[in-house]
Amino acid sequence: MPDEVHPTVEDPRVERARYWRFSGLPGTELLTARFVTTSFTRHTHPTYTIGMITGGIEEYSHPGGRSRVGPGGLAVVGPGEVHTGHAGIPEGWGYRVFYPAREVVEGVGRELGMRGTPGFRESGI
């Protein structure tokens, strides 16, 4: 009788996500995830969204159009910007996301001598 295959956390077919508040910097949340079939419909976040793609491809729509971002790339969206998200290839995508509150980013910007609210000129980098 052949051995059974039991998916593990390392199995790329298994979806997983861990979301938590980062106590080291109040006003920030973190996510590490692997998605294959999950699809996010149009939504917003009150925070900035800065996601580094660790594997596969994420495809998403945003105010500037549509982006496809692969390993090592950044998927970025400003607070309140309507966007979607889904796998750009059948194998899905993995990413690590940093969600800093608007106040955190504005405070850092002021500390660096910037004026106004920081934003992104492009979404998929």
Side-chain angles (χ1 to χ4, degrees):
M1 179 176 348
D3 291 336
E4 289 186 46
V5 175
H6 295 282
T8 67
V9 173
E10 300 302 319
D11 188 328
R13 299 168 294 180
V14 174
E15 294 198 346
R16 62 187 178 280
R18 177 176 173 236
Y19 186 85
W20 70 101
R21 294 185 191 281
F22 179 50
S23 61
L25 182 60
T28 61
E29 297 168 343
L30 303 172
L31 167 71
T32 182
R34 170 90 181 131
F35 295 121
V36 179
T37 61
T38 295
S39 181
F40 298 99
T41 59
R42 293 169 47 90
H43 66 285
T44 64
H45 300 275
T47 63
Y48 286 84
T49 302
I50 304 167
M52 184 186 80
I53 308 302
T54 58
I57 295 177
E58 180 188 16
E59 186 171 311
Y60 62 104
S61 65
H62 51 83
R66 181 176 289 284
S67 291
R68 287 175 56 88
V69 183
L74 293 177
V76 296
V77 180
E81 291 184 353
V82 177
H83 61 285
T84 64
H86 63 273
I89 58 174
E91 296 79 20
W93 84 101
Y95 63 166
R96 295 179 182 156
V97 188
F98 174 49
Y99 297 99
R102 180 188 302 252
E103 300 78 25
V104 170
V105 174
E106 288 173 349
V108 169
R110 279 191 305 277
E111 185 69 21
L112 293 172
M114 298 172 68
R115 293 183 186 190
T117 303
F120 303 113
R121 290 182 190 219
E122 294 181 41
S123 190
I125 303 169

